Amino acid sequence: MQVLLVASEVFPYSRTGGLADVMAALPEALVRLGLEVTVLSPWWQSLSAAPREVWRASVARGGRLVPGEVRVGQIDEAGVRYLFLGTPEFDRPGLYAPDDVRRFSEWGRLVLPTLGSMGLTFDLLHGHDWGAGLVLAHARQVGLKSVYTVHNLQYQGRWNLQDGMNWSGLPASAQEGVEFFGDINLMKAGLVYSDHVTTVSPTYAREITTPEYGERLEGVLQRRQAEGALSGILNGLDLERWNPATDPDIHPMTSLSGKAANIAALRHEFGLDGAPILSAVTRLVSQKGIDLLVESLNDVTLAWNVVVLGSGDPLLEAALTGWAQHPRVRYVSGMNETLAHRLYAGSDAFAMPSRFEPCGLSQMIAMRYGTLPVVRETGGLVDSVPSEVGFRFAGASAADLIGALRAARASFDNVHDWKARAQRGMALDFSWDASARQYLDVYERVLG
């Protein structure tokens, strides 16, 4: 089976979040199952490695040919062919920008014609999130079977309908499938025109059919559910990248052996006292509920040291910067990969008070490193954090988070209970192989 995966980012070449991590691990797991896998993403100027250019052509724009406007680069890694489709609009610093709906609309209309011009054919297209949504609409036009995965329904790719249809290259007959309250919606394009929709956890697949989580697309998703074309597959974890026994950024850990050395190192690094360490590695956005943690700090710091790594909402950044003057609070702005590894290994507990969480990887990493997650009962957090390992709470309020952290501290003070929870967490299997087999089942059903 020849499968084309399309996404806006892929680790380690481009990354802003979990989508890129999935696009690194899932393709390799599919190759291990015997599939021929190609991954396509934009040729961002800031790619971490330079692809080898394998194709270049001129395309018509505004009635004239623009020389060398479209190019394709290739990198082969671990049995996967990574292709990068570049246009001048992507040849600028950084990744996402305010004109992304236009960029990804014009990029999306080029994907299949470009690959066809290169002589490449595929049995199935697997698109990921709104950046790939328009490619699914074009796949329907040419009869290519497709699967579409929602990683976060909140980000949809909307713009006014007239401009959007002009950029999309779709026929007028396709407008109904992409129109959304007077706008074009690239997420909706993927939901409507794919043959099967998946999300990155079973619980999130159920949640997004409700008004609370459906982001005004719940009607579309309810229809796909009624057709038997909506399912949830829990993301896996890259067990090589996140292996506490071989991780070069920490003191090696096998079982719980070595945990104390990592805690001591983190305590020394941040000048913390002897209280247990609660950490968070996160984007500072409303979804992640870090405002609930900030609101709780007066209470939480009575029992915990708190270390937060992340950036985003300027108000949250300012609040955490202010709190960092407290002897038990530390805040590091931005994203620091090696520090993230040290936090996972050197913390006692890990906070994820998310308002919604399609899947989440941090809670899986934390458990693999012997750190117990404190999570809200939503999405993939429900599916991945057993109650006999982590500490779960239902409501999206500071009081609910405080209650869960008090339960966690009581467990921490019971050495036998805490150690047993940590050992159970480290033994959980979050490999991609099981998830990849579920995707293969979906592919086979779609292909008939």
Side-chain angles (χ1 to χ4, degrees), residues 43 47-52 74-75:
W43 192 331
L47 289 180
S48 65
R52 170 175 54 91
Q74 180 169 333
I75 297 175

Side-chain angles (χ1 to χ4, degrees), residues 242 249-250 266 269-270 281 307-310 331-347:
W242 298 107
D249 297 317
I250 68 168
L266 192 67
E269 178 178 355
F270 284 101
V281 178
V307 184
V308 178
L309 169 63
Y331 169 56
V332 180
S333 178
M335 188 46 62
N336 182 317
E337 180 81 9
T338 59
L339 176 56
H341 285 243
R342 298 197 300 276
L343 287 171
Y344 287 121
S347 302

Side-chain angles (χ1 to χ4, degrees), residues 169-184:
L170 290 170
S173 60
Q175 178 172 309
E176 182 180 355
V178 300
E179 189 274 333
F180 183 77
F181 296 98
D183 288 344
I184 193 170

Side-chain angles (χ1 to χ4, degrees), residues 243-255:
N243 184 347
T246 59
D247 190 331
D249 297 317
I250 68 168
H251 295 281
M253 293 174 56
T254 55
S255 184

Side-chain angles (χ1 to χ4, degrees), residues 374-390:
V374 181
V375 302
R376 182 161 179 260
E377 290 182 325
T378 185
L381 301 179
V382 173
D383 298 323
S384 60
V385 181
S387 57
E388 62 270 22
V389 175

Side-chain angles (χ1 to χ4, degrees), residues 58-133:
S58 301
V59 299
R61 178 71 62 84
R64 63 188 181 89
L65 286 176
V66 182
E69 184 168 21
V70 181
R71 59 181 182 147
V72 177
Q74 180 169 333
I75 297 175
D76 298 296
E77 183 69 34
V80 180
R81 174 172 54 189
Y82 294 93
L83 297 180
F84 301 90
L85 174 60
T87 68
E89 288 81 1
F90 286 91
D91 191 18
R92 65 173 82 149
L95 268 67
Y96 303 110
D99 63 342
D100 276 343
V101 174
R102 177 183 63 84
R103 287 203 294 176
F104 278 97
S105 295
E106 295 182 344
W107 185 87
R109 70 189 290 182
L110 289 171
V111 166
L112 297 179
T114 298
L115 296 176
S117 297
M118 296 173 65
L120 301 177
T121 60
F122 301 93
D123 300 308
L124 183 132
L125 165 68
H126 185 175
H128 295 260
D129 256 4
W130 75 265

